[in-house]
Amino acid sequence: MQTPEELNELTAISPLDGRYRNRVSDLAPYTSEMGLIKTRVEVEARYLVALSEVGLVRSLSDQERDVLAGLGSSLTFPQAQRVKEIETETRHDVKAMERAFREFVSGTSLEDATEMIHFALTSEDVNNLSYRLMLRRATSQICIPAMDNVVDVLAERAGQYKGVPMLARTHGQSAVPTTFGKELANVAVRLNNQVRKLENVKLTGKLNGAVGDYNAHVLSAPEVDWIAFSKKFVSELGLDFNLFTTQINPYEDVMEMLQAHQRVNGVILDLDQDMWRYVSDNWLVQEVVKDEVGSSTMPQKVNPIDFENSEGNVQMANSLWEGMVRKLAVSRLQRDLSDSTTVRNIGSGLAYGLLAYRNTLAGLGRVNPDEELMKSELNDNWVILTEGVQTVLRREGVEDPYSLVAGLARGRKIGRGNWQTWVNSLPVNDTAKSNLLILSPGTYLGYAEKLTEIALEEIAASRVK
């Protein structure tokens, strides 16, 4: 029989706690089991203070308030282990935390208040608040800064390459010219818009007992306005108060945040695949890192592994989010426990997304456009200018210019010389011909540079607090 090994990179079941642990470990204080325990203790401690404020617990000294205020954040590893030890007996994680909490204040001046710990609460009163605090804090403190790093690099590169012409492709085929910077700006705006929406998602909280009716509260302490009490308590946690619940706080707010994460991830996925294609076409040159191996058999390879890794991880994240959104919409009658094991995976979804953002950032950091190759391919076929030609012919009053131009150009390849001969044969005046003759793929760019500048201004303005 194999001897159990200590959990480490080699023994972890999940790559998040194994191979990738060092890339996502900053999420652990928020979404790990210990992070959950600390947040639960924080909620319970603040609840005890709130009970004191309405006279159900004796008046607390400033020192006692300070102790309770810091009890969650200062929870030690041995204390968290003690919670898990108790849980082996209770098989109930919140009850284990409650009993450990009593032990933590035993022998202190707060010992006389121990029976009021978890007063009239159901475990879901603590859990719904704790999970939402964890999700909001991890999102705002870890994930959004990582997303914004991608936005910032895209914006910086967009400004740098706003005047670098490149051939745009629609349906995979040659379309009309754009600039590399403008294409990066498009993604930067999309991503920034979704990050800002994610940033503004409001999460809710409830504190109303076993089935949401304050039964035990009203029976034991009818003198307290429990609706006002719970609204104040939830609001002070920075959550929107939800009065109408069963035992659980319905998850539509959490689903909205997870779907906001999904939309961010969709933009990242689109970016990863486009960058991969540009690398494949040699339009982007990858930095060669000494001693890095691209292939175990082909020494010449420099693979776009960062974009590929990001693509895989962002799809893992969205798979989890999609599954959670489907599950969390439904809870049998007033409560079933299937949501409990589901929401424990929120940290995994965030971590897969975080891996993706950081890999995309790494990929962006080691690619640069091959401007000469882009220019060469852009100038390889001047037929891409025929969009402009048929539009000018419309302005000049030529009948059915689209069909005229299509008949002359569709399926043909035109170089500069052929272009000039073809333009001279068009049924337009000399002024119109002169304007078309000085046109080239590298100058047929419309407002590409201007639009890039506007995009960067909008992104900067959205980030001003």
Side-chain angles (χ1 to χ4, degrees):
M1 183 175 178
Q2 185 177 1
T3 303
E5 301 287 348
E6 180 184 355
L7 178 63
N8 58 36
E9 180 181 0
L10 296 175
T11 61
I13 294 174
S14 164
L16 295 175
D17 284 316
R19 181 180 183 87
Y20 303 130
R21 175 73 182 192
N22 66 334
R23 303 288 303 276
V24 296
S25 60
D26 43 345
L27 277 173
Y30 301 92
T31 62
S32 65
E33 183 75 0
M34 184 169 174
L36 175 58
I37 292 170
K38 292 175 75 168
T39 311
R40 285 170 171 162
V41 170
E42 175 191 347
V43 170
E44 288 278 11
R46 294 180 69 155
Y47 182 63
L48 200 59
V49 172
L51 292 178
S52 173
E53 291 173 349
V54 294
L56 293 182
V57 171
R58 65 165 174 80
S59 179
L60 301 175
S61 68
D62 290 344
Q63 183 180 10
E64 288 172 329
R65 285 172 172 268
D66 289 343
V67 168
L68 289 171
L71 200 58
S73 60
S74 64
L75 191 80
T76 65
F77 187 76
Q79 287 176 319
Q81 283 184 311
R82 177 56 184 153
V83 174
K84 299 305 292 181
E85 288 172 4
I86 298 173
E87 188 182 342
T88 62
E89 303 168 2
T90 63
R91 292 198 66 196
H92 194 291
D93 50 0
V94 174
K95 196 64 180 177
M97 179 276 302
E98 176 196 340
R99 291 183 178 178
F101 192 119
R102 293 167 180 257
E103 291 182 7
F104 300 157
V105 299
S106 178
T108 73
S109 64
L110 290 164
E111 187 170 10
D112 64 314
T114 54
E115 288 306 321
M116 297 301 288
I117 295 171
H118 204 68
F119 174 77
L121 299 184
T122 181
S123 60
E124 188 57 23
D125 286 323
V126 177
N127 271 341
N128 90 97
L129 300 173
S130 298
Y131 274 111
R132 284 166 170 83
L133 289 175
M134 289 167 55
L135 175 57
R136 188 187 66 188
R137 290 167 179 174
T139 295
S140 63
Q141 298 300 313
I142 304 298
C143 296
I144 287 179
M147 297 168 184
D148 278 340
N149 284 341
V150 179
V151 174
D152 291 342
V153 170
L154 287 171
E156 178 186 356
R157 292 297 190 90
Q160 183 179 359
Y161 299 119
K162 64 182 179 181
V164 175
M166 62 174 268
L167 178 64
R169 287 178 289 202
T170 57
H171 309 282
Q173 307 300 305
S174 298
V176 297
T178 183
T179 73
F180 185 57
K182 169 56 171 42
E183 298 311 301
L184 294 180
N186 290 341
V187 183
V189 169
R190 286 179 63 196
L191 185 57
N192 186 67
N193 287 343
Q194 295 310 315
V195 175
R196 304 286 73 81
K197 289 179 180 179
L198 171 61
E199 196 171 46
N200 291 317
V201 173
K202 301 295 185 183
L203 294 178
T204 67
K206 75 103 179 180
L207 193 80
N208 53 16
V211 295
D213 296 335
Y214 299 97
N215 306 58
H217 302 73
V218 173
L219 178 64
S220 60
E223 71 277 15
V224 175
D225 182 343
W226 286 105
I227 293 177
F229 174 94
S230 55
K231 182 176 183 179
K232 180 176 183 290
F233 185 80
V234 169
S235 298
E236 288 177 348
L237 291 174
L239 302 172
D240 287 354
F241 177 58
N242 188 6
L243 178 59
F244 306 104
T245 78
T246 58
Q247 184 177 105
I248 71 164
N249 181 9
Y251 284 102
E252 280 73 26
D253 59 321
V254 172
M255 292 159 59
E256 183 180 356
M257 179 167 276
L258 302 188
Q259 288 171 327
H261 275 277
Q262 274 187 291
R263 293 194 301 273
V264 168
N265 292 348
V267 179
I268 293 291
L269 177 60
D270 198 14
L271 171 63
D272 288 336
Q273 293 186 346
D274 281 357
M275 298 301 283
W276 187 95
R277 176 61 189 267
Y278 292 143
V279 171
S280 176
D281 291 340
N282 296 314
W283 287 11
L284 290 180
V285 178
Q286 297 182 94
E287 174 188 348
V288 176
V289 178
K290 185 180 179 182
D291 297 328
E292 187 177 272
V293 175
S295 167
S296 62
T297 187
M298 295 173 282
Q300 82 279 8
K301 296 290 292 294
V302 182
N303 294 329
I305 56 175
D306 293 311
F307 295 118
E308 292 171 333
N309 189 292
S310 176
E311 179 178 340
N313 282 301
V314 84
Q315 290 180 322
M316 284 295 299
N318 276 3
S319 295
L320 282 170
W321 296 149
E322 181 177 352
M324 286 190 197
V325 166
R326 288 175 180 269
K327 164 64 202 93
L328 295 177
V330 178
S331 180
R332 296 178 187 88
L333 304 179
Q334 283 68 52
R335 174 75 200 276
D336 75 76
L337 202 62
S338 57
D339 65 309
S340 177
T341 191
T342 302
V343 295
R344 287 182 181 275
N345 291 282
I346 282 175
S348 295
L350 296 176
Y352 280 119
L354 186 61
L355 270 176
Y357 317 141
R358 288 174 172 170
N359 275 291
T360 295
L361 195 65
L364 291 172
R366 62 180 297 182
V367 294
N368 291 292
D370 186 333
E371 298 183 30
E372 288 304 313
L373 180 59
M374 284 183 173
K375 182 178 179 181
S376 172
E377 297 202 13
L378 184 64
N379 287 308
D380 185 54
N381 189 1
W382 285 46
V383 77
I384 60 176
L385 299 176
T386 55
E387 177 208 40
V389 172
Q390 64 94 10
T391 307
V392 169
L393 295 183
R394 289 175 188 272
R395 179 69 185 272
E396 294 297 316
V398 175
E399 183 179 354
D400 194 13
Y402 183 92
S403 297
L404 170 64
V405 173
L408 293 171
R410 193 162 189 257
R412 295 181 59 192
K413 191 170 185 178
I414 298 176
R416 181 178 180 182
N418 290 336
W419 163 260
Q420 292 177 334
T421 300
W422 184 71
V423 168
N424 280 318
S425 71
L426 293 173
V428 292
N429 59 50
D430 289 343
T431 300
K433 287 182 180 180
S434 296
N435 290 333
L436 292 174
L437 287 170
I438 62 174
L439 188 64
S440 73
T443 60
Y444 183 52
L445 298 172
Y447 283 152
E449 290 193 46
K450 181 178 180 178
L451 291 169
T452 304
E453 292 167 358
I454 294 172
L456 302 188
E457 290 171 1
E458 288 187 1
I459 290 171
S462 75
R463 302 277 283 278
V464 177
K465 299 294 185 180

